[in-house]
Amino acid sequence: MSKTICEILAPKPQARPRIYAYSIADKAHDGLLKVGQTTRDVKQRVAEQLKTAAIKNYIIELDEFAACENGSTITDHEVRAALAKQGFENVQLEWMRCSARDVKAVLIELRTGRHFTRPRFETFPMRREQVEAVDRTHAYFQSIWKENTDAVPRFLWNAKMRFGKTFTTYQFARKLGAKRSLVVTFKPAVEDAWQTDLETHVDFEGWQYLSKSSGRDPTQIDDDRPIVFFGSFQDLLGRDRAGNIKPKNEWLHKVKWDLVVFDEYHFGAWRDTAKELFEGEDVGVAKEEVKLEYASELAGVNEDFTVLSEQEPEFLPITTKAYLYLSGTPFKALATGEFIEEQIFNWTYTDEQRAKEDFAAENPGRWNPYGALPQMRLLTYQMPDELIAIASAGEFDEFDLNAFFEAKGTRATARFAHKGDVQRWLDIIRGAYAPKAVEYLKTSAGPPFPYSDVRLLPYLQHSFWFMPDVAACQAMANLLAEKHNIFWRDYEVVVAAGASAGIGLEALPPVRKAIGSGFETKTITLSCGKLTTGVTVPQWSSILMLRNLKSPETYFQAAFRVQSPWSVRNPNGDNPHEEEILKPVCFVFDFAPTRALRQLCEYGIGLSPGDPNPENAVKELVSFLPVLAYDGANMTQIDAGGILDIAMAGTSATLLARKWESALLVNVDNDTLRRILNNPEAMAAVERIEGWRKLGDNIIQTIINKSENVKDLKNKAKDEQLTASQKQQLTEEEKEYKSKRKLVQEKLIKFATRIPAFMYLTDFRENTLQDVITKLEPDLFQAVTGLTVQDFHLLVRLKVFNTEQMNQAVFAFRRYEDASLRYTGIQKHGQLTHYGLYDTVVARE
């Protein structure tokens, strides 16, 4: 009988061989996995197996494709045999005493035909942005070496936490063919991540990991296999009492490294951040916390690193082919033009959240690698006038959180200085403040206060309250525990502050114990610095900013604590590739609106220093970090322009003036000084700057020569011991060139401070400041500054002055002036559509 057309054109079977493993949650199967195979749907196959025994408490731990790279199929017998060969017990038939990770590691070995010295269970590929970082850096290095084979290129990764910098760095070293890689950091605590990524991923099989703590002799390693050495600046920079390199580190200075990686490059920012984060702690505790951050040798290298990147061999006498810098907040390096655009790869919070949206749109139904990273929301609240009057400070009477939450006493005796007002604040945040209750009833819906709005309450199940100091933490715990505060009894309050809470990670176990799984419990963690660095508590979904913070780095270092992912993999126990997101968003609550929005502005602008329009930088940030502001009557969403207006109007003229006194405005590195020295017109120009001649003849040549001498002496120290006179010469010349460089910087800054005067010389706001100087008042410019317009333009072209910083300084002034005038009811420039900055014009809205 002949076949029908349908039979002849039969569809191809879709069977795909799978290896699976499941566990049963009972005493008899504790620690065991059933390892099997199927060509059908794993969920259906396992359900059928267990249906007859009426077993429901099972979890599918692993579901993997069972094919090798050569096309052959892996059987469950081979998997169990490989496990048994590695020493795992085959308890009965298909049951093995092992973990899903062990099964996965064996599968990788069988699939690739490679045997790993230790179980390597990670096979994940690079994400799109990681590939881009590797490719761009590699291409840049190759282009530099094509021009000059002896050049030592430098590249910066401005990458937010959770970018995967360790894994991506190793992939870059792999692509570069680097056999000798040195990773240097100021934060020794990050070593675990560097070691784990190298030793668990299959791509780095055969690589050798060494560090101070590894205990291996670095001079006895296998030269044929790639090596990564991890060390801290504090240790590697350390010298003995005679000023020589520590004997244990001499080998390191003799190696010709292929790649040197500087992790947490923004040391100055991190050092200041650590100090600010822990300044509320007791002095002894604060010192211990900072020591944990940066190790005990910090004080020995706590010098000015502003010129750190100019001459790497001067501060770390090593020889390398290339440098890679890693940082999450390299604001200074970005703002000063230390790295040009083609030397920077950016991956910011905004990039992360955009990737999350784009992936979901382009791949509906697929697992999103960014899906578990929650989007942040900032909610700010203007406090009632009666509370602002209690604690206000600054030119615009801003709400002073530190003064408001001032406390005295310790532990059980700790009390707030304004206890009654803090109690009123507690009533406000749960929507129970009597004087405002009638106003709330007049509106269709009251403002969304943290502990009153049903939409917010789930995200406050586990919150972090960032207090000014230890006394405030203990006073808050005492107040929340008072009998009349019935509402707060549902929350277990953990005081993670002071010596009694422990140092560093010692403060974490009580928090974890209180939270438990996080589903049934409610907690409030009170801290004034502890647990704000290097800690992941997935259940924290909100942070209340109840203290003043000076820098945006510090502010967002703390805020990003609550952006840690919280999700459940394999939520139903039948699909190990499924993920349920438990924290799609997270919240920052702030009760000093102007300060909060100023931090947001500085953070957004700091991450985009090259953007001539600061409003664009802020607009991009707030598109993924929505801001709601309660002004005492209404809660409204604020756009970038509104944020800038509030931030600028809430600043002071004094602070704006300081933007023109910033070291970021001028460049005094050797390359810039050489450009001046090699240009007779530029030399003549700088010599006309007031006070320049008092610096002495040939100061630029002296700085360059002295710094080169220091460099040569330090290079010499690598190969031979310096004499006492050479050491003294090294110390004296280093001090001299650094002090002279500082004097040059001060003279250039003093000159720059005269430029803002020209902002007042015209009411044509759409003119750039450059136009005002060049076309309208060139003679006055020479009279005020001592330089001709041509002189100044030449120095700008030579990058002596940073026009990007000037643009931001002028922009801040324009917004401040307009916002201040509107505050008084004056709309002086109502029809204005554009702002003139220093050398560019930007749209007003």
Side-chain angles (χ1 to χ4, degrees):
M1 185 176 178
S2 61
K3 290 185 173 11
T4 65
I5 293 178
C6 290
E7 290 173 327
I8 293 171
L9 302 179
K12 181 183 177 183
Q14 296 298 312
R16 288 170 63 86
R18 311 290 295 181
I19 294 289
Y20 64 86
Y22 65 80
S23 60
I24 297 176
D26 60 24
K27 191 173 182 180
H29 296 87
D30 186 36
L32 303 181
L33 286 183
K34 161 73 182 298
V35 179
Q37 69 183 64
T38 184
T39 56
R40 298 164 53 199
D41 178 76
V42 169
K43 289 164 60 175
Q44 185 180 349
R45 175 74 181 113
V46 172
E48 287 174 353
Q49 279 186 22
L50 299 174
K51 187 176 181 180
T52 54
I55 296 174
K56 297 181 179 178
N57 56 334
Y58 66 89
I59 296 175
I60 298 176
E61 306 280 0
L62 181 135
D63 176 4
E64 294 282 330
F65 187 42
C68 297
E69 291 179 352
N70 62 8
S72 61
T73 300
I74 302 168
T75 67
D76 57 347
H77 297 284
E78 291 173 310
V79 173
R80 291 192 295 274
L83 285 166
K85 192 175 180 180
Q86 290 189 8
F88 296 102
E89 182 186 1
N90 190 175
V91 179
Q92 183 184 14
L93 299 176
E94 297 174 332
W95 288 92
M96 303 293 301
R97 190 174 300 282
C98 64
S99 69
R101 180 175 286 185
D102 300 321
V103 179
K104 191 170 185 180
V106 162
L107 263 176
I108 294 167
E109 290 191 356
L110 292 172
R111 188 178 290 136
T112 61
R114 295 157 62 194
H115 176 70
F116 302 118
T117 53
R118 61 168 282 181
R120 289 179 179 266
F121 48 85
E122 299 293 6
T123 58
F124 56 86
M126 286 188 284
R127 298 192 305 269
R128 183 171 55 188
E129 68 274 9
Q130 293 171 329
V131 171
E132 184 184 350
V134 168
D135 289 348
R136 280 184 52 188
T137 311
H138 187 265
Y140 175 75
F141 282 6
Q142 296 302 326
S143 69
I144 295 297
W145 287 327
K146 189 175 181 180
E147 295 177 8
N148 179 3
T149 54
D150 296 324
V152 182
R154 303 159 61 243
F155 203 95
L156 169 68
W157 289 357
N158 162 29
K160 175 190 173 291
M161 65 182 83
R162 302 186 188 90
F163 167 71
K165 62 185 178 183
T166 55
F167 170 68
T168 313
T169 297
Y170 286 144
Q171 291 290 6
F172 172 68
R174 187 167 169 244
K175 178 160 186 170
L176 195 65
K179 298 295 288 287
R180 300 286 178 270
S181 301
L182 175 64
V183 178
V184 193
T185 183
F186 282 105
K187 297 187 67 178
V190 301
E191 178 177 355
D192 182 63
W194 285 99
Q195 183 171 2
T196 300
D197 277 5
L198 192 75
E199 294 183 345
T200 59
H201 200 285
V202 297
D203 286 351
F204 313 120
E205 168 66 13
W207 288 48
Q208 304 166 92
Y209 179 88
L210 277 83
S211 71
K212 180 181 178 180
S213 60
S214 68
R216 297 175 61 192
D217 183 352
T219 63
Q220 302 300 314
I221 57 172
D222 184 350
D223 290 334
D224 294 328
R225 294 191 292 140
I227 176 178
V228 174
F229 186 86
F230 176 94
S232 70
F233 274 106
Q234 297 91 310
D235 187 47
L236 302 183
L237 284 169
R239 306 259 174 170
D240 60 23
R241 292 184 178 180
N244 299 315
I245 295 168
K246 293 177 182 177
K248 65 177 182 178
N249 289 334
E250 285 182 358
W251 72 273
L252 185 140
H253 300 272
K254 295 175 183 176
V255 173
K256 173 72 174 179
W257 297 96
D258 296 313
L259 178 67
V260 172
V261 181
F262 291 150
D263 189 17
E264 305 297 358
Y265 169 58
H266 51 291
F267 167 64
W270 271 89
R271 181 185 60 198
D272 296 340
T273 296
K275 287 181 178 178
E276 187 176 0
L277 282 174
F278 300 121
E279 67 183 7
E281 288 281 358
D282 302 326
V283 176
V285 174
K287 286 182 178 177
E288 287 299 315
E289 294 284 1
V290 175
K291 189 187 292 185
L292 272 179
E293 276 293 281
Y294 297 113
S296 57
E297 300 92 344
L298 175 64
V301 292
N302 192 5
E303 58 181 276
D304 183 8
F305 282 90
T306 54
V307 293
L308 178 130
S309 64
E310 294 166 15
Q311 300 287 347
E312 282 88 351
E314 290 186 15
F315 72 93
L316 191 62
I318 50 180
T319 307
T320 183
K321 292 181 182 177
Y323 289 99
L324 177 63
Y325 297 80
L326 310 176
S327 177
T329 49
F331 292 169
K332 192 161 189 177
L334 292 172
T336 56
E338 184 182 317
F339 296 88
I340 60 176
E341 187 175 352
E342 62 188 42
Q343 287 176 279
I344 303 171
F345 172 79
N346 293 302
W347 184 256
T348 64
Y349 166 80
T350 305
D351 296 319
E352 168 197 282
Q353 293 298 315
R354 185 186 296 109
K356 177 180 172 179
E357 278 192 2
D358 292 348
F359 189 95
E362 296 167 8
N363 304 276
R366 282 184 58 196
W367 176 76
N368 189 335
Y370 314 96
L373 295 167
Q375 189 179 96
M376 297 180 76
R377 279 105 165 80
L378 171 62
L379 274 64
T380 70
Y381 299 85
Q382 182 71 46
M383 289 293 95
D385 292 342
E386 58 267 32
L387 294 191
I388 292 176
I390 298 298
S392 59
E395 188 173 335
F396 285 81
D397 288 335
E398 296 171 349
F399 189 45
D400 188 325
L401 293 164
N402 288 9
F404 184 77
F405 289 106
E406 181 186 356
K408 301 290 183 185
T410 59
R411 300 193 182 181
T413 63
R415 294 288 182 273
F416 286 114
H418 310 291
K419 181 179 176 183
D421 298 299
V422 176
Q423 179 65 59
R424 279 191 279 278
W425 174 82
L426 285 173
D427 294 339
I428 287 171
I429 66 172
R430 65 184 188 88
Y433 185 48
K436 290 287 181 181
V438 176
E439 293 180 25
Y440 301 157
L441 289 173
K442 291 178 182 177
T443 61
S444 57
F449 285 115
Y451 285 90
S452 69
D453 192 285
V454 292
R455 295 163 295 182
L456 295 176
L457 277 170
Y459 292 96
L460 285 140
Q461 189 172 347
H462 301 287
S463 61
F464 186 97
W465 291 19
F466 201 10
M467 307 295 298
D469 53 33
V470 178
C473 291
Q474 294 171 342
M476 182 61 78
N478 294 339
L479 182 57
L480 291 173
E482 290 191 5
K483 290 182 179 180
H484 62 271
N485 276 319
I486 299 171
F487 174 84
W488 302 102
R489 290 182 191 170
D490 286 346
Y491 295 85
E492 182 170 348
V493 178
V494 182
V495 179
S500 61
I503 304 298
L505 291 178
E506 293 174 6
L508 188 57
V511 175
R512 291 210 186 282
K513 183 179 179 182
I515 292 174
S517 68
F519 295 104
E520 305 301 328
T521 55
K522 290 183 178 180
T523 65
I524 293 171
T525 301
L526 302 172
S527 170
C528 57
K530 289 186 197 298
L531 307 182
T532 51
T533 65
V535 170
T536 298
V537 179
Q539 295 88 349
W540 280 342
S541 304
S542 57
I543 181 169
L544 276 66
M545 293 293 194
L546 307 179
R547 62 172 286 188
N548 300 338
L549 291 170
K550 303 179 188 74
S551 73
E553 292 96 335
T554 315
Y555 189 93
F556 282 94
Q557 164 86 349
F560 278 130
R561 284 305 101 199
V562 301
Q563 209 229 347
S564 299
W566 187 21
S567 63
V568 176
R569 299 299 295 263
N570 197 5
N572 301 309
D574 57 6
N575 184 357
H577 304 294
E578 188 179 341
E579 181 179 30
E580 185 169 337
I581 310 299
L582 300 176
K583 190 169 71 175
V585 299
C586 58
F587 290 87
V588 178
F589 299 101
D590 202 304
F591 301 88
T594 303
R595 286 188 183 136
L597 298 182
R598 190 184 304 134
Q599 302 281 30
L600 187 74
C601 286
E602 291 183 20
Y603 185 72
I605 293 169
L607 291 177
S608 305
D611 195 322
N613 186 351
E615 187 168 337
N616 286 341
V618 177
K619 184 184 295 183
E620 187 175 34
L621 177 61
V622 299
S623 67
F624 293 103
L625 202 165
V627 178
L628 298 178
Y630 175 63
D631 60 7
N634 301 295
M635 194 85 176
T636 55
Q637 185 168 356
I638 312 181
D639 61 14
I643 290 170
L644 281 160
D645 282 345
I646 295 170
M648 297 305 177
T651 191
S652 67
T654 304
L655 287 174
L656 286 173
R658 283 183 192 160
K659 287 180 177 289
W660 291 92
E661 299 170 2
S662 168
L664 300 183
L665 281 175
V666 300
N667 294 318
V668 290
D669 57 278
N670 278 6
D671 289 341
T672 304
L673 294 181
R674 282 196 188 92
R675 288 196 292 271
I676 297 173
L677 193 64
N678 295 333
N679 190 314
E681 293 179 14
M683 277 301 301
V686 295
E687 287 172 357
R688 285 194 284 273
I689 293 176
E690 181 185 339
W692 186 275
R693 293 188 182 277
K694 292 180 182 178
L695 300 179
D697 295 334
N698 303 319
I699 186 169
I700 292 180
Q701 186 69 65
T702 301
I703 292 170
I704 294 172
N705 289 345
K706 295 286 185 185
S707 62
E708 290 295 332
N709 287 345
V710 168
K711 177 182 176 181
D712 291 341
L713 282 170
K714 289 190 173 182
N715 283 336
K716 188 177 180 181
K718 296 180 194 176
D719 303 317
E720 57 186 272
Q721 188 170 338
L722 298 180
T723 64
S725 62
Q726 285 175 322
K727 289 176 188 174
Q728 186 176 356
Q729 179 190 356
L730 177 62
T731 303
E732 290 174 355
E733 292 198 352
E734 193 164 11
K735 283 182 180 177
E736 184 180 357
Y737 92 76
K738 285 186 176 181
S739 64
K740 287 184 181 297
R741 196 191 297 274
K742 189 89 171 169
L743 290 172
V744 169
Q745 185 182 60
E746 288 170 356
K747 291 299 177 192
L748 292 171
I749 291 172
K750 187 175 181 181
F751 169 84
T753 59
R754 298 183 176 182
I755 297 173
F758 293 86
M759 288 188 290
Y760 298 96
L761 293 179
T762 178
D763 206 33
F764 294 101
R765 301 282 294 238
E766 296 186 17
N767 284 3
T768 66
L769 193 54
Q770 190 179 53
D771 287 338
V772 176
I773 293 169
T774 309
K775 299 172 184 175
L776 303 179
E777 302 290 349
D779 295 333
L780 183 61
F781 182 81
Q782 186 170 0
V784 170
T785 66
L787 294 189
T788 66
V789 168
Q790 289 72 26
D791 289 339
F792 181 59
H793 285 173
L794 174 59
L795 295 180
V796 168
R797 284 201 304 277
L798 295 177
K799 286 293 184 184
V800 177
F801 298 99
N802 279 322
T803 55
E804 292 89 351
Q805 290 294 313
M806 291 185 185
N807 280 330
Q808 290 186 21
V810 177
F811 184 84
F813 171 81
R814 299 294 193 211
R815 295 300 294 240
Y816 168 73
E817 185 184 33
D818 280 357
S820 299
L821 289 171
R822 279 201 301 278
Y823 184 74
T824 59
I826 302 171
Q827 284 285 352
K828 190 175 180 184
H829 305 288
Q831 304 304 312
L832 187 70
T833 59
H834 289 75
Y835 282 130
L837 305 186
Y838 171 72
D839 63 354
T840 191
V841 176
V842 299
R844 186 182 185 198
E845 298 299 341

